[in-house]
């Protein structure tokens, strides 16, 4: 199984270059639209739509905000919600080894493939 970022077609991968500053891609749904509801992690600049987070945020936070990408500690935790529970529903990407709950993905997966 490949996570949404690793499953992008090779030609789409060029859009993920760090030098591309024209748009911000959501780390959950991988879409670049709805910039008005995109929040950036203050540690790594990863972007998230507030409604794609688990749990979703109601508004774009003011001040410093740390995303689930940098809030996770040691061990395998979901890259979307930052939690390590739900191991039975946790998928690890075969390419990057990042963890994702099946129910945190967009769209949600009904189970482990």
């Amino acid at each position: 199984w490949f996570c949404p970022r690793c499953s992008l077609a090779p030609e789409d991968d060029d859009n993920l270059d760090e030098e591309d500053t024209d748009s911000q891609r959501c780390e959950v749904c991988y879409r670049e639209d709805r910039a008005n509801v995109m929040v950036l992690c203050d540690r790594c600049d990863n972007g998230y739509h507030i409604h794609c987070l688990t749990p979703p945020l109601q508004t774009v936070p003011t001040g410093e905000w740390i995303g689930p990408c940098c809030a996770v500690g040691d061990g395998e935790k979901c890259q979307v919600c930052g939690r390590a529970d739900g191991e039975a529903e946790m998928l690890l990407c075969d390419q990057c080894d990042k963890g994702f709950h099946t129910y945190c993905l967009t769209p949600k997966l009904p189970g482990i493939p």
Side-chain angles (χ1 to χ4, degrees):
W1 177 83
F2 294 105
C3 72
R5 171 167 252 160
C6 293
S7 64
L8 289 174
E11 62 271 9
D12 292 339
D13 200 38
D14 294 338
N15 294 332
L16 298 178
D17 291 342
E18 292 179 22
E19 297 169 6
D20 181 13
T21 58
D22 293 340
S23 61
Q24 182 69 45
R25 185 182 303 258
C26 175
E27 295 295 317
V28 178
C29 71
Y30 294 93
R31 294 177 57 171
E32 297 175 356
D33 59 348
R34 301 179 308 246
N36 61 322
V37 291
M38 184 83 69
V39 62
L40 301 180
C41 175
D42 286 320
R43 289 190 185 161
C44 70
D45 285 333
N46 280 349
Y48 298 87
H49 292 118
I50 59 172
H51 55 271
C52 288
L53 292 164
T54 304
L57 298 176
Q58 297 302 311
T59 60
V60 175
T62 58
E64 184 179 34
W65 183 79
I66 306 301
C69 49
C70 293
V72 296
D74 295 329
E76 287 303 325
K77 295 187 179 182
C78 177
Q79 296 297 301
V80 178
C81 71
R83 296 175 51 169
D85 61 345
E87 289 181 24
E89 292 89 20
M90 183 79 72
L91 291 171
L92 295 180
C93 177
D94 291 331
Q95 184 168 329
C96 68
D97 290 328
K98 292 182 179 179
F100 297 84
H101 290 120
T102 56
Y103 48 83
C104 288
L105 292 167
T106 303
K108 297 176 182 180
L109 293 180
I112 302 289

